[in-house]
Amino acid sequence: MKVLLTIAAASLLAASFATPALAQGAGAATYKAKCQMCHGADGQPTAAGKSMKALPLNSPELKKASTASLIASVTNGKNKMPAYAGKLTDAQIKEVVEYTRTLQ
Ligand code: HEC
């Protein structure tokens, strides 16, 4: 038990040093690592995102889209949007889509 607690404490400590974004949850860290290069830190598409026709995440279309349909787009891809099935777990995809809601 003591060993487990020590491991838990050590990994918590390591995680908090490794990614300050962790304070906002795992979704934020995934977004930063995998999505930001196209969708921008604040949800406004970067030049790369724009060239592939990514909408701002706060566009009316995406605001009214259901979370389930956005999860489906991230899982299966959509036009130039890459598919993340097999690269992220279902739980990670859900977390990162929930994080994109905070950018709307
Ligand atoms: C290589 C660039 C690129 C990366 C990386 C990328 N996206 Fe996208 N994303 C796009 C483009 C382009 C679209 C627009 C697709 C369309 O509607 O034609 C899009 C669309 C979306 C949409 C809207 C889907 C819909 O149903 O209209 C969401 C939500 C989204 N991306 C989330 C993410 C998340 C979360 C990640 C990281 C896990 C991510 N994207 C990574 C390019 C990217």
Side-chain angles (χ1 to χ4, degrees), residues 25-28 30 71 89-100:
T30 305
I71 287 175
T89 64
D90 290 352
Q92 285 175 316
I93 291 174
K94 184 167 180 280
E95 277 165 3
V96 76
V97 167
E98 279 165 0
Y99 175 74
T100 67

Side-chain angles (χ1 to χ4, degrees), residues 10-24:
S11 55
L12 263 181
L13 209 67
S16 59
F17 280 123
T19 40
L22 213 74
Q24 293 167 45

Side-chain angles (χ1 to χ4, degrees), residues 34-35 38-39 52 54 62 73-74 78-79 81-82 84 96:
K34 310 263 181 205
C35 321
C38 291
H39 289 288
M52 292 179 238
L62 295 185
S73 298
V74 177
K78 184 180 178 191
N79 300 317
M81 162 75 194
Y84 283 90
V96 76

